[in-house]
Amino acid sequence: MLRKTVLALGVLGVWSITVPHAAKARQAGRVYKIGVLSLTAFDGTTLARVVTEGLGRRGYVVGRNIVIEDKFADGKVDRLPALAAELVDFKVDLIVAGAAVAIRAAHDATRTIPIVMAFSGEDPVKSGFVASLGRPGGNVTGVTAVARDLAPKTLELLRDAVPGLTRVAVLTNPARPEHAEYLRVVQAVSPQGMQLQVFEAAGPDQYDAAFAAMTQQRADGLVIFGDVMFTRDSERLAELARLHALPSVYLHKAFVVSGGLMTYGPDLRQLLDLATEYVDKILKGANPGALPVQQPTTFKLAINIKTAKALGLTIPPSLLLRADEVIQ
């Protein structure tokens, strides 16, 4: 269902933001139209709300010179192409897209309107969004949250939390080619004597069978690779991990809030703030094709102590000291 989110006014509909007075003189008097295209909410908020907060920190004021059209797919990937087309028909001046599937829908809909990636779990070069990270070259720039280098770290953290870990289940999405690359990286760093068991789920209807197979193969820990579908279904995946008594680690905070053992991943708030910085630059005349794609520099560890106790685990003090958030 399409949802229009009004952020400062607290009602549904279209809302506005003012361009800073420091903007170039040629911008004066023009109302800019900004499209926001997103698949799901995260951390209890929406992409449109966070974009507004970021712009507000850069001097934008709701109500005058910018109109933002929020297109929210409510978790339904197949809705995104139509929503992207609506933004193009609305003749927006710029699109902010969150999650790789939304970026792809926007990119397929237009090669001329600037697109700012709020975050992307796919490699934007391999996905064809940009020519290179240093010089994108087209109408897309922004922030990537590629998790390739995080996969070994999540395995390391799980080993620290679960002494004697020997059989680690790895949940992948076969529709994501980069998961095969993540798996090769994890296999290369897994210690001798540890067995990695790979399980696939291409859709929510395959979760139950995947977790049943993990139990059958006596997995004693679970690493879930980053994926927009897994993030959308983080509450259900956390519940399944609890039901199957699997200490588990994922990338996004929603998973640990829902009862997963740990999360370790990019600070999404930081990524989104960088994205709104790019919106500001483009509105002031910057060429998106010349703005380098930025990568995360801050990563956060969260641990759910209640879940640890339910699993009979005692989290080592050294690991607790490294945590940015401990959920009791």
Side-chain angles (χ1 to χ4, degrees):
M1 177 180 69
L2 170 63
R3 185 174 76 188
K4 291 184 176 181
T5 308
V6 175
L7 305 174
L9 302 181
V11 294
L12 297 180
V14 178
W15 43 272
S16 303
I17 312 172
T18 302
V19 174
H21 296 301
K24 294 182 179 180
R26 60 186 175 82
Q27 294 177 320
R30 177 176 174 180
V31 177
Y32 287 87
K33 301 175 183 177
I34 306 299
V36 177
L37 183 65
S38 58
L39 176 65
T40 62
F42 67 97
D43 288 355
T45 189
T46 63
L47 175 59
R49 182 178 295 275
V50 177
V51 168
T52 301
E53 292 171 353
L55 289 172
R57 288 190 292 273
R58 289 170 172 80
Y60 290 77
V61 180
V62 172
R64 295 181 187 172
N65 296 340
I66 293 184
V67 172
I68 295 185
E69 184 76 4
D70 181 18
K71 301 294 184 181
F72 178 76
D74 200 23
K76 300 177 176 63
V77 175
D78 59 354
R79 293 274 294 140
L80 288 168
L83 295 178
E86 288 178 20
L87 292 176
V88 174
D89 290 343
F90 190 59
K91 294 182 170 55
V92 296
D93 296 290
L94 182 147
I95 297 173
V96 180
V101 286
I103 297 164
R104 186 177 306 283
H107 189 241
D108 289 345
T110 178
R111 299 302 170 91
T112 56
I113 297 172
I115 298 169
V116 174
M117 301 183 294
F119 51 85
S120 172
E122 291 184 10
D123 186 321
V125 178
K126 290 183 178 180
S127 298
F129 301 149
V130 300
S132 69
L133 297 182
R135 193 166 184 84
N139 65 319
V140 180
T141 189
V143 182
T144 179
V146 172
R148 179 189 308 109
D149 296 335
L150 292 179
K153 185 65 176 181
T154 57
L155 178 61
E156 175 190 326
L157 289 168
L158 191 61
R159 288 175 55 209
D160 290 344
V162 186
L165 191 67
T166 58
R167 292 181 297 276
V168 179
V170 179
L171 184 63
T172 71
N173 182 351
R176 291 285 298 275
E178 60 269 37
H179 279 190
E181 182 179 355
Y182 298 171
L183 184 60
R184 285 193 294 272
V185 173
V186 172
Q187 288 172 330
V189 300
S190 61
Q192 187 174 5
M194 178 176 287
Q195 179 186 355
L196 296 182
Q197 304 168 336
V198 182
F199 303 89
E200 296 182 344
D205 59 332
Q206 298 179 16
Y207 293 155
D208 288 336
F211 275 84
M214 294 176 198
T215 297
Q216 185 178 25
Q217 295 190 32
R218 296 181 298 135
D220 46 20
L222 169 63
V223 172
I224 304 176
F225 284 167
D227 182 75
V228 66
M229 179 181 70
F230 295 158
T231 299
R232 180 194 65 197
D233 298 334
S234 58
E235 184 173 348
R236 184 178 173 197
L237 291 171
E239 180 183 14
L240 284 167
R242 290 197 311 273
L243 289 173
H244 290 268
L246 282 169
S248 51
V249 59
Y250 187 51
L251 300 177
H252 298 299
K253 182 181 172 182
F255 180 75
V256 75
V257 170
S258 297
L261 178 62
M262 293 190 299
T263 56
Y264 181 77
D267 182 350
L268 290 183
R269 294 281 181 165
Q270 180 204 32
L271 299 186
L272 293 171
D273 192 60
L274 289 172
T276 57
E277 178 183 328
Y278 271 20
V279 172
D280 184 33
K281 288 181 178 180
I282 293 170
L283 291 181
K284 291 177 179 177
N287 174 9
L291 293 174
V293 174
Q294 298 204 47
Q295 297 176 285
T297 58
T298 302
F299 303 88
K300 291 193 171 183
L301 170 64
I303 301 173
N304 191 316
I305 293 298
K306 183 178 179 180
T307 298
K309 290 178 179 177
L311 293 169
L313 295 174
T314 299
I315 303 298
S318 59
L319 186 57
L320 288 175
L321 287 173
R322 293 161 59 189
D324 298 280
E325 184 172 359
V326 175
I327 299 173
Q328 301 291 342

